[in-house]
């Protein structure tokens, strides 16, 4: 049963957060205090102080509550979602799925342009109803009630959600974990899903390929393979921890706001574009912190880590749904068309020379334009 929902965090919870931030015991800075060994103490302590003294959760709460929110139970799991219907009578329903370490906050700047395109320089014919669920174990969809929340199971849950909302035809869009969940929605509900749009690709390329195969790739694709190798060498540790010891990690994430902040900001620094910029130069401090608050206020750092990377480690191609699928590949991400085509009906592919992993936050105008163009002929 769908129930209306509104965020109302007790003041005592916010007071406790402020007290924890004020009493944080920061580690000694490692030599250089730069990003090569993790989040620098000098940078994080400054952001934590901004969080304590300047960030306004009540303003963020008001912004979130300006949109209709609901909860329902699917497959034994509480699911929280935003649902905004367009005033345009022929709007196409569009389900947006975030990833880790993101949240529904990623899509706030897309709601207006998607539901009311005329007000944002678009055409009424491009209007969408938007449905933005929080992944199981994330934010107000947490904690998880049981295990095995794979992309396929989440895809089934999303199809059930769209049925519960009464939609007979709809599109799906997502990035990161949402980029693997969205094609699964198409696989489990191909008769109703009119199109699948992802930023960052539908799946990663193989971790290793032969020299002969490498030579058949374009220079851009070869660069992406090189960056995958670099990622596996320099950054894979967080996946190892989250997929094998999420409970151990959770103690720090749910007890220390600075630990949760550092864990998330490490990825926002690594995955925003350009890589040599600080996260707040690309995404505002307030938006970054509101995203962190989705984890902190709900105590879901551990369950989100568990769902995000406790996925099957199979790289075998998935069966194609046949549903038309688009990929918007930003400059940061490493999607390669031939490997996505093995499991998906790729009908549109766009490589960008800019933009990072968090497309909805970094290049929202580009993402909206690509979504509009892709679905224009699928309505």
């Amino acid at each position: 049963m769908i129930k209306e929902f509104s965020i109302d965090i007790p003041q005592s919870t916010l007071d406790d957060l402020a007290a924890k931030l004020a009493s944080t015991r920061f580690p000694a800075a490692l030599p250089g205090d730069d990003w090569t060994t993790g989040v620098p103490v000098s940078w994080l302590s400054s952001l934590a102080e901004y969080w304590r003294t300047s960030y306004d959760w009540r303003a963020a709460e008001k912004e979130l509550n300006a949109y209709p929110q609901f909860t329902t139970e699917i497959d034994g799991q509480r699911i929280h979602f935003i649902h905004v219907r367009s005033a345009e009578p022929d709007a196409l329903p569009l389900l947006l799925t975030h990833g880790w370490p993101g949240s529904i906050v990623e899509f706030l700047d897309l709601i207006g342009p998607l539901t009311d395109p005329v007000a944002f320089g678009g055409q009424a014919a491009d209007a969408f109803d938007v449905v933005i669920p929080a992944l199981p174990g994330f934010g107000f969809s947490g904690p998880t009630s049981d295990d095995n929340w794979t992309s396929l199971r989440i895809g089934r849950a999303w199809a059930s959600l769209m049925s519960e909302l009464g939609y007979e035809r709809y599109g799906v869009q997502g990035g990161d974990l949402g980029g693997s969940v969205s094609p699964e929605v198409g696989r489990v509900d191909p008769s109703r899903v009119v199109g699948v749009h992802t930023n960052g690709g539908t799946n990663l390329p193989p971790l290793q390929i032969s020299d002969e195969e490498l030579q058949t790739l374009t220079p851009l694709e070869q660069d992406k393979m090189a960056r995958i190798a670099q990622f596996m060498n320099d950054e894979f540790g967080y996946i190892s921890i989250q997929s094998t010891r999420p409970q151990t990690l959770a103690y720090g994430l749910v007890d220390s706001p600075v630990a949760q902040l550092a864990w998330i900001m490490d990825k926002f620094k690594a995955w925003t574009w350009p890589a040599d910029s600080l996260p707040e130069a690309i995404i505002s401090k307030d938006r970054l912190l509101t995203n962190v608050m989705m984890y902190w206020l709900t105590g879901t750092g551990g369950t989100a880590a568990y769902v995000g990377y406790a996925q099957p480690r199979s790289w075998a191609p998935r069966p194609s749904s046949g549903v038309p699928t688009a990929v918007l590949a930003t400059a940061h991400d490493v999607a390669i068309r031939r490997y996505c085509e093995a499991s998906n009906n790729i009908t549109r592919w766009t490589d960008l020379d800019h933009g990072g992993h968090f497309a909805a936050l970094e290049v929202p105008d580009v993402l909206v334009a690509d979504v509009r163009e892709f679905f224009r002929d699928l309505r």
Side-chain angles (χ1 to χ4, degrees):
M1 178 184 297
I2 293 176
K3 301 178 181 179
E4 293 185 356
F5 180 85
S6 182
I7 302 172
D8 185 15
I9 301 301
Q11 185 59 43
S12 59
T13 300
L14 302 181
D15 294 341
D16 178 68
L17 168 60
K20 284 180 176 291
L21 288 170
S23 62
T24 299
R25 185 174 72 163
F26 286 93
L30 296 176
D33 195 31
D34 58 28
W35 292 90
T36 59
T37 53
V39 183
V41 175
S42 57
W43 182 84
L44 193 73
S45 59
S46 176
L47 183 58
E49 182 65 8
Y50 178 88
W51 193 3
R52 186 180 73 86
T53 62
S54 300
Y55 171 75
D56 186 354
W57 164 253
R58 293 305 184 196
E61 188 177 70
K62 182 178 180 180
E63 180 184 12
L64 285 159
N65 284 336
Y67 300 110
Q69 297 174 67
F70 306 88
T71 61
T72 189
E73 183 174 305
I74 302 174
D75 198 7
Q77 177 66 42
R78 184 173 91 151
I79 298 298
H80 167 240
F81 62 99
I82 292 173
H83 183 202
V84 183
R85 294 184 185 271
S86 173
E88 300 295 340
D90 295 324
L92 176 69
L94 181 65
L95 187 147
L96 303 166
T97 306
H98 66 86
W100 183 92
S103 67
I104 60 172
V105 172
E106 289 185 56
F107 297 116
L108 292 181
D109 292 334
L110 271 58
I111 295 174
L114 291 174
T115 60
D116 188 8
V118 174
F120 291 84
Q123 303 174 10
D126 289 327
F128 296 90
D129 291 350
V130 296
V131 180
I132 309 173
L135 288 162
F138 287 68
F140 295 101
S141 287
T144 43
S145 58
D146 60 12
D147 60 1
N148 199 37
W149 276 103
T150 63
S151 295
L152 176 58
R153 184 179 177 188
I154 298 170
R156 292 194 183 105
W158 282 186
S160 296
L161 174 61
M162 297 305 276
S163 290
E164 194 172 3
L165 291 173
Y167 288 128
E168 295 300 324
R169 300 175 71 252
Y170 62 97
V172 291
Q173 199 285 326
D176 191 82
L177 182 55
S180 60
V181 168
S182 296
E184 294 293 0
V185 183
R187 291 186 182 101
V188 301
D189 203 11
S191 65
R192 295 194 301 149
V193 176
V194 301
V196 175
H197 186 286
T198 76
N199 53 277
T202 59
N203 50 271
L204 288 173
L207 297 182
Q208 291 182 323
I209 59 176
S210 67
D211 290 340
E212 291 77 13
E213 185 172 352
L214 183 64
Q215 294 307 310
T216 68
L217 301 181
T218 67
L220 175 60
E221 292 169 339
Q222 290 178 3
D223 175 70
K224 290 181 177 183
M225 290 302 301
R227 287 191 283 125
I228 290 172
Q230 183 179 5
F231 172 87
M232 296 300 294
N233 185 64
D234 297 342
E235 287 192 61
F236 192 75
Y238 80 97
I239 296 180
S240 294
I241 294 171
Q242 292 196 159
S243 62
T244 61
R245 291 295 184 270
Q247 188 66 73
T248 303
L249 175 66
Y251 294 104
L253 299 184
V254 303
D255 185 61
S256 167
V258 168
Q260 181 69 86
L261 180 65
W263 194 247
I264 289 178
M265 287 302 102
D266 186 86
K267 294 304 133 202
F268 271 87
K269 171 61 173 68
W271 296 348
T272 47
W273 186 94
D276 57 358
S277 295
L278 293 173
E280 70 269 26
I282 302 164
I283 304 166
S284 74
K285 287 182 181 179
D286 288 345
R287 192 62 99 210
L288 290 168
L289 289 169
T290 299
N291 179 67
V292 173
M293 288 290 266
M294 290 294 101
Y295 292 78
W296 174 256
L297 294 173
T298 58
T300 53
T303 55
Y306 178 62
V307 171
Y309 287 97
Q311 302 289 332
R313 287 287 179 253
S314 172
W315 298 93
R318 298 279 293 135
S320 176
S321 65
V323 175
T325 300
V327 172
L328 178 68
T330 65
H332 167 83
D333 283 323
V334 293
I336 294 176
R337 181 164 187 162
R338 70 173 66 180
Y339 301 118
C340 292
E341 285 180 330
S343 300
N344 303 275
N345 177 26
I346 304 296
T347 59
R348 178 183 175 89
W349 187 281
T350 306
D351 283 309
L352 294 181
D353 62 0
H354 61 289
H357 187 66
F358 306 97
L361 291 168
E362 297 183 62
V363 287
D365 292 347
V366 175
L367 180 57
V368 167
D370 204 70
V371 167
R372 286 175 178 170
E373 291 179 26
F374 172 62
F375 283 103
R376 198 163 285 155
D377 295 329
L378 300 175
R379 291 174 175 269

